[in-house]
Amino acid sequence: MRVRGLALLFLLMLIGCRGTVRHEGFAMAGPDAFLYSAHTNTVITANDDGEAERLRRDWIVDALKFHGMCPDGYVIDTRRFVPDAVGAFGNGGDILYSGRCVNNVPPPPAIVERKREEEIFEK
């Protein structure tokens, strides 16, 4: 009975450790602008290169799609790291992104001049 109890306790501890590393925030800052934040930790580091940043960029795309923004793409204007704590034990914080939509407006149609009816019938 003790072995089962210990096994159950161990299983519950493992389930309790399971969680998500995706802690984010999103706000529209205008019709074509947005603010996005992502929390960092020892798994999802704050560096701006590597796998963690690629994951955050994918999360931004997911958030923009969810909010129906930027179908033609986006540009990040600023990226800033705000640490939770400074010192030896500070290993996380928020990365704040300020971005805007890229508007790929198609060029206006070419102007086609219609010949007047008189010119057509003159030939």
Side-chain angles (χ1 to χ4, degrees):
M1 186 67 173
R2 274 189 171 186
V3 174
R4 273 197 238 177
L6 286 174
L8 182 61
L9 179 64
F10 181 70
L11 182 63
L12 289 174
M13 287 186 343
L14 283 177
I15 292 171
C17 290
R18 193 188 97 233
T20 181
V21 294
R22 187 173 178 167
H23 298 281
E24 61 184 337
F26 184 88
M28 292 177 64
D32 289 331
F34 62 91
L35 300 171
Y36 180 83
S37 66
H39 192 74
T40 65
N41 56 32
T42 54
V43 176
I44 302 295
T45 60
N47 64 342
D48 61 354
D49 60 349
E51 188 62 27
E53 186 65 14
R54 282 189 289 278
L55 281 172
R56 286 188 291 269
R57 294 295 175 125
D58 290 342
W59 296 349
I60 292 172
V61 171
D62 291 345
L64 291 170
K65 285 181 183 177
F66 180 80
H67 292 281
M69 290 184 69
C70 306
D72 296 324
Y74 69 95
V75 174
I76 298 297
D77 294 318
T78 60
R79 178 190 186 277
R80 192 178 82 178
F81 177 67
V82 180
D84 284 341
V86 179
F89 297 107
N91 68 347
D94 288 319
I95 300 179
L96 308 175
Y97 298 89
S98 173
R100 59 188 159 81
C101 298
V102 175
N103 293 322
N104 289 336
V105 178
I111 298 174
V112 178
E113 291 184 24
R114 293 186 184 176
K115 293 187 176 187
R116 295 185 300 190
E117 289 183 28
E118 302 94 33
E119 293 176 21
I120 295 173
F121 291 117
E122 286 179 3
K123 292 185 178 182

